[in-house]
Amino acid sequence: MPTITITSPELPARRRRAVAVRLTRWLTGRGVTATHAVVRFVTEEPGSLYAGAFPVEALPAPAAGAGGAEPLHHASVVCQIGVDRDAGFRDELAAEIAAALGVGPGTAFFYLDLQPTARGHVYVADHGALRRVDTLGDLPAPATEGALPRREETPA
C-alpha cells in the first residue's frame, strides 16, 4: 500500500489531481491495486521548512516553466513502500515522483524520503473493522457496525 505524502506550498486542485493520477497509473503499471495507491497533499505554511538556517522561501525562485506551468519552488516528500521493493523500483519511483511534481533545474529545494514499511505495520478500515494490511483478504468481513474494533493477535 504505497503512501506518498507531498508537502509543498499550496498546489491548485487540478495540479494535485494530475500528480495523483500520474503516480497511481505508474504504480498500477507495476502491479499495485489502484485503490491501494495513496497520495496525500499537505499545504506547507510559510516559514515552516528550513534548509540549514534559511527558510526555503528565501531560496531563489525557479523561472516560469514552458507552457505557462507554475514551477515548483520546493517540496518535501515522504513515501512509504513495501520492504520487498528493490533498488530499481525505488530509483524509478523517486524519478517518477520528481517528474510528476515538475522538479527541474530551477527547483529551489526538493527532498524525497523513501521509507520501507512492512505490510504488518499498516492498518486500514475494512468494512468497519481495523485490519492490518497483511491480513486483508484472509478473514470474512465483520458483521458489526460502529467503532473500529481492534483485531486481536493470536500467537503463532
Side-chain angles (χ1 to χ4, degrees), residues 63-144:
E70 181 70 25
L72 178 71
H73 183 266
H74 66 276
S76 177
V77 179
V78 176
C79 180
Q80 294 154 315
I81 58 172
V83 294
D84 58 331
R85 298 298 185 172
D86 65 17
F89 179 92
R90 293 190 307 269
D91 290 346
E92 291 174 18
L93 177 57
E96 187 64 19
I97 292 169
L101 289 170
V103 173
T107 301
F109 179 85
F110 181 71
Y111 176 85
L112 173 62
D113 179 10
L114 293 174
Q115 299 180 351
T117 304
R119 292 171 52 86
H121 294 174
V122 178
Y123 292 79
V124 296
D126 179 40
H127 297 91
L130 190 58
R131 305 263 306 271
R132 282 194 347 236
V133 171
D134 64 341
T135 67
L136 291 178
D138 65 355
L139 294 175
T144 60

Side-chain angles (χ1 to χ4, degrees), residues 3-11 15 19 23 39-45 48-51 56-57 59 72-80 94 97-98 101-103 107-115:
T3 302
I4 302 167
T5 303
I6 300 165
T7 304
S8 68
E10 186 170 5
L11 297 174
R15 187 165 178 193
V19 169
L23 295 176
V39 181
R40 179 173 185 248
F41 294 88
V42 177
T43 299
E44 179 183 86
E45 295 296 324
S48 64
L49 176 63
Y50 286 73
V56 294
E57 294 86 7
L59 299 174
L72 178 71
H73 183 266
H74 66 276
S76 177
V77 179
V78 176
C79 180
Q80 294 154 315
I97 292 169
L101 289 170
V103 173
T107 301
F109 179 85
F110 181 71
Y111 176 85
L112 173 62
D113 179 10
L114 293 174
Q115 299 180 351

